[in-house]
């Protein structure tokens, strides 16, 4: 039976019958294969997401993969049967930021699949076909369900602009950190350092391409060309900045709690550090992710530790927030 998760209000949800919505002009209907759960989905369920960035009642799910089963008017029929992933931001396409390719900064207001628009924790998902990215016919759809967080890190890697032979580092050893290691490794750096708080992440870090692993509370170097921070705390951001040589490039992707103490502006100016930030993934980052994934340079599967049916939504949310080191990426399977 077709089903979907519906979060009626913070802390209140049910699994109910799902009726696919036929695609209108410019839209596509996707049979969902798998959908990932991240901290923002937990925020939706708990009611901690900032005002304006969620709309209840809601079917969550912004990390997903699937197969196109139908298209609306104006969409090529050749898309039917193709494996796909899709961008989440429902940008307007006409403002100056959208025309510049910065769709995550759309000035028409925030709309995103799984937060303000129906998401993929359902048997099917209907969305604008222009948001889809087509995968190879032999692509692993379970692995592809993780390409949304990978695309966010691809945006960071593109902003970092790491070049072959440079010394690069990643602060944070979660899903985003492991993707950062893989994207940076793909540009043939001289060294890839991973800095984290858990010794048990060293083996996985090295599997993905790290050449060195250090704990954050130990003595750390200060001469790296590029650092990507993925840990989401103010202290991690400061650690990331401290790893850089003068003139080095820093990209922050984590979102600390509001009011967190930030970086020292004097240090940024005196050392002439180049600082970038990332929130979401624009189209070029998605295209880069799909290309790298198709080339076999991105391996999401080792990050998946749990696959559950939609009916186990509550358990999945608990797993994501439990802090258990044995819990990696949790997927729901419609």
């Amino acid at each position: 039976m077709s089903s979907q998760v519906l979060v009626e209000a913070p802390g209140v949800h049910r699994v109910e019958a799902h009726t696919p919505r036929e695609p209108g002009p410019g839209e596509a209907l996707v049979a969902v294969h798998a959908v990932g759960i991240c901290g923002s989905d937990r925020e939706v369920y708990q009611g901690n997401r900032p005002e304006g960035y969620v709309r209840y009642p809601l079917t969550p799910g912004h990390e997903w993969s699937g197969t196109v089963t139908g298209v609306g008017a104006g969409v090529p029929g050749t898309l039917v049967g193709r494996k796909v992933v899709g961008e989440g931001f429902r940008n307007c396409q006409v403002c100056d930021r959208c025309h510049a390719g910065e769709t995550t900064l759309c000035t028409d207001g925030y709309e995103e699949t799984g937060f303000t628009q129906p998401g993929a924790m359902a048997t099917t998902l209907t969305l604008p076909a222009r948001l889809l990215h087509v995968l190879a016919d032999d692509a692993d759809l379970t692995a592809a369900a993780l390409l949304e967080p990978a695309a966010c890190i691809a945006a960071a890697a593109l902003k970092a602009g790491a070049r072959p032979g440079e010394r690069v580092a990643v602060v944070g050893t979660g899903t985003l950190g492991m993707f950062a290691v893989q994207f940076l490794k793909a540009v043939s750096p001289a060294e890839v350092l991973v800095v984290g708080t858990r010794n048990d992440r060293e083996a996985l870090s090295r599997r993905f391409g790290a050449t060195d692993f250090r704990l954050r509370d130990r003595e750390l170097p200060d001469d790296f060309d590029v650092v990507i921070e993925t840990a989401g705390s103010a202290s991690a951001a400061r650690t990331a900045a401290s790893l850089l040589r003068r003139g080095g490039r820093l990209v922050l992707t984590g979102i600390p709690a509001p009011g967190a103490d930030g970086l020292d502006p004097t240090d940024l100016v005196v050392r002439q550090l180049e600082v970038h930030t990332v929130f979401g993934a624009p189209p070029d980052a998605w295209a880069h992710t799909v290309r790298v994934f198709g080339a076999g340079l991105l391996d999401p599967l080792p990050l998946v530790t749990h696959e559950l049916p939609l009916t186990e939504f509550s358990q999945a949310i608990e797993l994501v927030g439990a802090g258990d080191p044995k819990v990696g990426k949790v997927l729901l399977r419609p």
Side-chain angles (χ1 to χ4, degrees), residues 148-172:
E148 192 278 341
C152 295
I153 293 301
L158 291 172
K159 286 190 175 184
R163 295 179 284 270
E166 287 193 311
R167 301 176 69 232
V168 302
V170 175
V171 176

Side-chain angles (χ1 to χ4, degrees), residues 91-334:
N91 53 85
C92 74
Q93 294 188 289
V94 297
C95 71
D96 63 340
R97 291 302 86 206
C98 284
H99 281 305
E102 298 176 336
T103 54
T104 59
L105 300 177
C106 177
T107 60
D108 194 43
Y110 171 79
E111 294 287 345
E112 186 175 3
T113 299
F115 296 106
T116 63
Q117 297 290 331
M121 290 186 192
T123 309
T124 70
L125 173 66
T126 304
L127 74 167
R130 61 183 171 79
L131 299 178
L132 298 178
H133 290 260
V134 178
L135 306 173
D137 291 339
D138 62 351
D140 185 327
L141 283 177
T142 300
L146 276 70
L147 292 188
E148 192 278 341
C152 295
I153 293 301
L158 291 172
K159 286 190 175 184
R163 295 179 284 270
E166 287 193 311
R167 301 176 69 232
V168 302
V170 175
V171 176
T173 60
T175 298
L176 299 184
M178 295 301 96
F179 279 135
V181 172
Q182 295 180 68
F183 277 113
L184 291 173
K185 182 66 175 179
V187 300
S188 301
E191 181 180 350
V192 182
L193 168 67
V194 174
V195 178
T197 58
R198 291 167 41 189
N199 266 324
D200 64 317
R201 299 298 280 183
E202 179 174 1
L204 191 60
S205 298
R206 291 186 182 277
R207 174 176 176 176
F208 287 138
T211 57
D212 192 9
F213 182 93
R214 311 255 184 120
L215 294 176
R216 270 174 54 189
D217 59 358
R218 306 291 173 83
E219 184 176 351
L220 298 173
D222 60 1
D223 55 355
F224 277 72
D225 299 293
V226 170
V227 179
I228 295 179
E229 176 275 325
T230 68
S233 70
S235 61
R238 290 191 290 271
T239 296
S242 72
L243 291 168
L244 287 165
R245 62 166 173 80
R246 294 192 69 203
R249 306 187 297 282
L250 170 65
V251 185
L252 304 174
T253 71
I255 304 178
D261 291 332
L263 302 175
D264 181 354
T266 300
D267 180 61
L268 299 181
V269 173
V270 170
R271 296 172 60 208
Q272 298 185 64
L273 298 184
E274 185 178 322
V275 182
H276 298 274
T277 60
V278 167
F279 177 67
D284 64 336
W286 272 96
H288 182 56
T289 301
V290 170
R291 185 167 52 246
V292 172
F293 178 63
L297 299 174
L298 196 64
D299 184 14
L301 271 183
L303 300 172
V304 177
T305 59
H306 294 76
E307 296 183 53
L308 303 170
L310 281 183
T311 52
E312 299 299 326
F313 172 76
S314 295
Q315 180 185 348
I317 290 292
E318 290 178 8
L319 283 170
V320 170
D324 186 342
K326 295 181 181 179
V327 177
K329 198 64 185 179
V330 178
L331 299 182
L332 291 177
R333 297 290 297 271

Side-chain angles (χ1 to χ4, degrees), residues 40-113:
S40 56
D41 295 305
R42 186 173 169 83
E43 289 177 352
V44 167
Y45 186 63
Q46 294 182 326
N48 298 327
R49 194 156 172 85
E51 185 178 356
Y53 288 86
V54 64
R55 187 180 302 131
Y56 302 100
L58 173 72
T59 294
H62 61 287
E63 304 177 2
W64 59 269
S65 63
T67 302
V68 177
T69 59
V71 296
V75 180
T78 53
L79 197 59
V80 176
R82 299 303 304 271
K83 296 177 178 179
V84 294
V85 289
E87 299 175 31
F89 283 82
R90 305 290 186 93
N91 53 85
C92 74
Q93 294 188 289
V94 297
C95 71
D96 63 340
R97 291 302 86 206
C98 284
H99 281 305
E102 298 176 336
T103 54
T104 59
L105 300 177
C106 177
T107 60
D108 194 43
Y110 171 79
E111 294 287 345
E112 186 175 3
T113 299

